[in-house]
Amino acid sequence: MTHAAALPPSPSLFNGDGTGTEMLVGDNWRLRLGDQQLLWGKNELPSRLMTIFQEEDKYMQGDWARGIDELNDVPSGQEIPPELQPFAEWDDGDDEVDTSERFGYRTTVEIALTRLRLMGFTPETTRQSMAEIHMSGLKEEGYPEEDLLLSDAREVIDAGLADYIKGCTRHGFEGRLRLPTTLDYYFEYDTEDPRFLLSALLHGQDPQKTLRMDLEELLAADYCRSTDELTTQALDELRSTTASTGPIIVITEGKFDARVVPRALRLVRPDIAGYFKFWDLETTRAPGGTDQVVKNLRSFAAAGVMNRVVGILDNDTAGREAAKQLESSPLPGHYGVCVLPDLDYARSYPTLGPSGAAEDNVTGRACSIEFYFGLECLRGTDGHLIPVRWKSHIEKMSDYQGELANKSYVQARIQEMLTQAEASEQPLGEAWDPMRQLAETLVELAARPMLA
C-alpha cells in the first residue's frame, strides 16, 4: 500500500508548497537532534517538551546568560548601561557565531526515550496510532477494507518519519514530507502534545546522540531567567491537567523502605529518579505493612487517582500473598505492582527455626528491602550473616514467613552505606546490583503504555 501524500502546509513547518521551512515570526525555541532542528515553536516555553529534561541537564554560557538577565532587569524606557550594550545587539542569525552553548537543556536520545516511556509516550504506541489513523482515512476515501493491512500502513508511517528526519537541517525541515494528510496535526508547532511525535522520531536513532532544547531566544526575550528551574516549572504547570506528566507514585510496605529506596534510586539511576514520588509514610503517619499496600492501591484506584501508581511488595510469603490478592481484582491500566526481585545470595542463607540453625532458600519467604543493599550490610559485628528467623505460618500460601533477626542493625548499616555513596564520587560497586535491578523493574512497570 503506497497511499501516501505530501503533507499540506501547516503553521511553522512548511512553506506554501508543502516544502521547506516557514520562518517563524517571534521568539523561538528549537529542539535539536545533534545539529538537526527537529521541532520548534514560538512565543512560549514548550512545557510538555521540557518534561523530558531535568535541571541537571541545563547548560549555559555563564557570562552571556547573566548579561541577558541583567539586560532584562533594565526598566523599559531607561538607557541601557554601556557594559550591557553588547547583549542588546546579539544576533542569533549569524551562522559564524556559535550559539549552541548559550542557554538550554540537553540529554541523550537513550535517556530521553526512557523518560518519555515513563510518561507513557512510547514509539510503538505512537507509530501504531499513526498507522490506524492512516487506515481510517483510507476507509473514508473508499478503499476496500479487505485491501488495507496494518503492516502496510506501518511501512508508510515508518518511511515518512525516516524521511522527515532525513530532511531536517540546522534550520529546520527542508525537504518534502511524504506522510498521509490525516497526520498533519502531529507536525504543527502548536500540536496538543509533541511528545507523541518526538517518541516516534527518536526511535532507531543513535542512543548516545544529543537531544538539545535551545532556549536562547526565549531567555533573551525575557520569557525566563537563566536561574529559573524551567523543568520543575513545566511539571508543576502540567501536573494539574494531565496524569502523564504527574509523578509516578510509589507505595512501599514500610517507613524505612520509603526513606532509603528513593535515595538509592538517585544513586543508581539519577537520570530518572526525579520522575518517582515515594509516598511518605513517616510524615503522613500512615500505617505500613503488606496489607496496607493492597488497601492503598485499591483506595487510590477507587478515588480515581490518575497518576501512575506502583506498589512494591517484599519478596516474602506475605508479599506473594498480597500480589495474589491483587491479581484476583485487577487494578486500572496505569497501576502496577511488583514483588522485590529474586536474589542469588538468598537461595542459601542462614536461618533460625524450631529445629535450630540451617541454610535455607529465603527467596519469596523472607526478603525484605534490607536484603537489597548487598551482603556486607547483612553481616553482623562478628562477620557472619545475620540469620532469618522463621515466624508465622501463612496458611493460604502453605509456607512460613521469615524476618531478619536483627533488622535494626542492618538498617543502620544501610543508612551508612547510602551516606558514604552520596558523599563519594567513586563508581558504585556490585553491592548496588540489587538496587539497579529494582530500578529497572520500576522503569518497566511505569513505562507501560497508559490505558484508559
Side-chain angles (χ1 to χ4, degrees):
M1 183 170 61
T2 58
H3 312 296
L7 260 173
S10 58
S12 86
L13 287 183
F14 305 103
N15 292 316
D17 61 356
T19 64
T21 303
E22 181 178 334
M23 188 65 178
L24 288 179
V25 178
D27 304 299
N28 305 326
W29 56 262
R30 297 175 173 87
L31 185 68
R32 301 184 185 278
L33 177 64
D35 292 328
Q36 296 173 283
Q37 181 174 293
L38 286 188
L39 303 172
W40 58 100
K42 63 179 181 178
N43 297 344
E44 64 180 356
L45 287 162
S47 296
R48 286 176 170 78
L49 288 173
M50 289 303 296
T51 62
I52 67 174
F53 299 97
Q54 294 193 333
E55 278 309 297
E56 56 264 32
D57 300 330
K58 182 188 286 186
Y59 66 86
M60 70 176 78
Q61 288 179 345
D63 292 343
W64 183 85
R66 283 189 293 273
I68 291 294
D69 284 341
E70 292 176 18
L71 177 64
N72 288 333
D73 286 338
V74 176
S76 179
Q78 182 174 312
E79 185 176 351
I80 297 173
E83 65 273 15
L84 296 180
Q85 196 63 42
F87 300 103
E89 299 170 353
W90 74 283
D91 180 11
D92 71 323
D94 187 348
D95 286 346
E96 295 183 3
V97 177
D98 182 11
T99 63
S100 63
E101 297 295 320
R102 276 180 168 166
F103 182 72
Y105 290 75
R106 63 178 165 225
T107 187
T108 65
V109 168
E110 181 178 27
I111 291 175
L113 278 171
T114 299
R115 292 171 176 173
L116 283 164
R117 287 180 182 278
L118 289 176
M119 292 184 285
F121 301 96
T122 69
E124 297 81 9
T125 301
T126 300
R127 290 156 64 217
Q128 178 82 1
S129 176
M130 284 180 161
E132 290 173 353
I133 291 171
H134 176 38
M135 290 182 65
S136 177
L138 292 175
K139 289 178 186 177
E140 292 179 5
E141 292 175 15
Y143 286 92
E145 188 169 347
E146 60 270 18
D147 292 345
L148 302 178
L149 299 176
L150 185 61
S151 58
D152 290 342
R154 286 289 296 266
E155 287 183 12
V156 171
I157 300 305
D158 290 346
L161 292 172
D163 184 48
Y164 180 80
I165 290 281
K166 186 178 179 181
C168 286
T169 70
R170 180 172 179 266
H171 302 289
F173 183 72
E174 296 185 352
R176 177 177 287 275
L177 187 62
R178 305 293 296 180
L179 268 174
T181 56
T182 48
L183 302 177
D184 59 353
Y185 68 90
Y186 276 103
F187 291 85
E188 296 174 0
Y189 81 86
D190 57 352
T191 186
E192 182 176 349
D193 202 321
R195 291 173 293 184
F196 287 106
L197 175 60
L198 180 61
S199 68
L201 291 175
L202 294 182
H203 177 71
Q205 299 300 310
D206 181 354
Q208 298 309 309
K209 201 164 188 177
T210 299
L211 185 70
R212 176 164 59 90
M213 176 62 75
D214 182 349
L215 299 173
E216 59 164 331
E217 286 188 37
L218 296 186
L219 180 67
D222 204 19
Y223 284 84
C224 60
R225 296 183 64 83
S226 65
T227 54
D228 289 346
E229 294 187 355
L230 299 180
T231 60
T232 302
Q233 291 178 13
L235 285 172
D236 289 343
E237 179 183 334
L238 295 172
R239 277 172 179 166
S240 61
T241 57
T242 174
S244 62
T245 48
I248 300 158
I249 299 173
V250 182
I251 301 175
T252 61
E253 286 197 21
K255 297 176 182 178
F256 182 75
D257 308 50
R259 195 160 58 237
V260 299
V261 176
R263 293 173 65 186
L265 194 59
R266 286 193 292 270
L267 288 166
V268 300
R269 286 299 302 271
D271 56 310
I272 52 89
Y275 292 83
F276 294 89
K277 176 68 174 178
F278 285 74
W279 197 25
D280 188 351
L281 296 173
E282 207 153 23
T283 301
T284 60
R285 297 185 179 180
T290 307
D291 292 343
Q292 288 300 319
V293 173
V294 175
K295 290 178 181 178
N296 290 332
L297 284 169
R298 287 176 173 168
S299 296
F300 279 32
V305 174
M306 287 304 299
N307 297 66
R308 292 168 182 271
V309 182
V310 174
I312 302 178
L313 297 165
D314 287 350
N315 192 353
D316 57 15
T317 308
R320 289 189 291 116
E321 182 187 25
K324 193 173 182 180
Q325 290 176 17
L326 289 168
E327 288 176 3
S328 65
S329 54
L331 295 164
H334 56 289
Y335 283 53
V337 64
C338 69
V339 172
L340 289 171
D342 291 348
L343 298 169
D344 288 338
Y345 54 75
R347 300 186 190 282
S348 180
Y349 193 86
T351 64
L352 295 174
S355 302
E359 295 278 328
D360 205 343
N361 185 358
V362 298
T363 299
R365 306 170 75 197
C367 289
S368 58
I369 196 63
E370 289 80 9
F371 269 83
Y372 291 81
F373 290 84
L375 280 174
E376 289 308 306
C377 284
L378 294 167
R379 296 189 186 279
T381 54
D382 59 1
H384 294 105
L385 293 173
I386 294 174
V388 161
R389 189 180 299 279
W390 295 119
K391 301 181 73 177
S392 58
H393 186 268
I394 299 180
E395 294 294 336
K396 290 184 179 179
M397 303 302 292
S398 300
D399 207 347
Y400 282 92
Q401 168 80 3
E403 185 178 286
L404 283 169
N406 192 352
K407 184 181 284 190
S408 61
Y409 172 82
V410 176
Q411 290 178 348
R413 292 288 302 273
I414 291 171
Q415 297 273 30
E416 292 175 8
M417 179 180 177
L418 285 165
T419 301
Q420 290 174 5
E422 288 164 347
S424 173
E425 296 183 359
Q426 297 298 316
L428 301 177
E430 62 182 17
W432 293 90
D433 285 350
M435 291 310 303
R436 292 187 180 101
Q437 191 176 353
L438 175 58
E440 291 307 311
T441 300
L442 288 175
V443 168
E444 289 174 9
L445 266 179
R448 295 180 305 179
M450 187 163 59
L451 304 176

